[in-house]
Amino acid sequence: MRVVLVGPPGAGKGTQAQFIASHLSIPKISTGDIFRANVSGGTPLGKLAKEYMDRGDLVPDEVTVAMVRDRLSEDDTQGGFLLDGFPRNVPQAEILKKMLADWGLSLDVVLELVVDDEEVVRRLAGRRTCRSCGKVWHIDFDPPSREGVCDACGGELFQRDDDREDTIRHRLEVYQEQTAPLVSFYADEQILIGVDAAGPVEEVTQRAMAALRRFVD
Ligand code: AP5
């Protein structure tokens, strides 16, 4: 199954992506995670991406698309994939459509995680990520048992540079201007399903999985 997750920053795309990908036994491909790994590794791609990410702007399409094309060419995507954070604007969606069509493929479904702006700010301001294993925590909604320490691996937890409140507000504006038009793009393609992303993580996963099953059957 080939799935795309769309939603504002902090909607819970990364959180849900790991559960959905695991339920469907497909790889989760997060452009944000790939950029952050490059930033940590100090690669040329990471150096270029960092200035856009720190401001909350989108990394230029040609850079992002080339990176996704390489990733989707890997063997583990043969049985499907779940894209988290890509496409991020209509030009990226059109390129993805063409890329897949060239391989004789198409997307099966696009899940839109729907949540309001104030909840987004609450979720992002409290997010902490493990420097070692990448697991995501929340200081109120999903706190680790020891402050600043990952329960899963003992690694140090940190706050993302783009999770400051002013940057979060800018990312929301970028979402409204550039990413929200994807909703009507995929509605026109008749592969869009909206999922209420408010409430506990497990309930959102159940709603998403129910929506996916309905779509496939
Ligand atoms: P990216 O990493 O994709 O960031 P984003 O879309 O802004 O999304 P986030 O990762 O911030 O949030 P999320 O929806 O995954 O939420 P999460 O599950 O962590 O992109 C970062 C940057 O990279 C972009 O700004 C851009 O510069 C660049 N980039 C990436 N892709 C690009 C592209 N295609 N083109 C160009 N540039 C690109 O959850 C958030 C918090 O809430 C966590 O603490 C979590 O524990 C908590 N939480 C989750 N669900 C719940 C729940 N149900 N209840 C309570 N708390 C919850």
Side-chain angles (χ1 to χ4, degrees):
M1 193 172 195
R2 288 174 289 277
V3 186
V4 164
L5 272 188
V6 176
K13 299 183 298 298
T15 302
Q16 294 303 326
Q18 76 189 38
F19 294 120
I20 296 169
S22 153
H23 278 300
L24 298 176
S25 303
I26 52 177
K28 149 180 130 78
I29 299 173
S30 159
T31 41
D33 286 351
I34 302 175
F35 282 134
R36 278 185 290 279
N38 277 277
V39 171
S40 310
T43 68
L45 173 63
K47 285 183 184 137
L48 186 152
K50 185 171 171 18
E51 64 173 289
Y52 294 94
M53 295 173 79
D54 284 353
R55 285 199 305 265
D57 286 327
L58 297 188
V59 179
D61 285 353
E62 61 273 20
V63 175
T64 308
V65 165
M67 185 178 86
V68 170
R69 188 187 300 275
D70 285 350
R71 181 62 187 89
L72 290 181
S73 303
E74 289 179 27
D75 285 347
D76 66 340
T77 64
Q78 297 281 322
F81 52 78
L82 187 155
L83 284 170
D84 157 22
F86 183 93
R88 200 76 159 217
N89 55 28
V90 171
Q92 290 184 6
E94 280 167 345
I95 292 170
L96 176 64
K97 187 176 176 184
K98 166 91 173 49
M99 192 189 303
L100 293 176
D102 288 346
W103 295 332
L105 302 172
S106 60
L107 290 176
D108 293 300
V109 58
V110 175
L111 287 185
E112 180 201 4
L113 297 186
V114 181
V115 65
D116 67 51
D117 284 4
E118 290 317 308
E119 179 66 8
V120 160
V121 175
R122 263 195 301 276
R123 287 185 186 181
L124 291 185
R127 172 165 60 188
R128 299 292 182 271
T129 307
C130 176
R131 221 176 268 292
S132 305
C133 71
K135 184 167 167 45
V136 173
W137 299 88
H138 192 283
I139 54 173
D140 299 318
F141 304 135
D142 183 20
S145 42
R146 269 201 302 151
E147 194 184 324
V149 180
C150 178
D151 281 355
C153 75
E156 178 202 2
L157 302 185
F158 74 101
Q159 184 165 26
R160 270 171 48 175
D161 289 340
D162 59 352
D163 279 349
R164 293 193 329 262
E165 187 157 342
D166 55 340
T167 314
I168 294 171
R169 299 272 176 204
H170 180 64
R171 286 161 63 202
L172 281 168
E173 285 165 16
V174 170
Y175 179 80
Q176 284 308 327
E177 282 164 19
Q178 302 192 44
T179 309
L182 285 179
V183 170
S184 34
F185 178 91
Y186 285 122
D188 289 348
E189 302 258 311
Q190 301 189 334
I191 53 172
L192 181 84
I193 307 182
V195 175
D196 177 7
V201 170
E202 304 71 30
E203 284 181 19
V204 180
T205 308
Q206 281 170 12
R207 280 180 220 133
M209 289 308 300
L212 284 174
R213 280 190 208 101
R214 251 198 347 261
F215 197 87
V216 170
D217 293 341

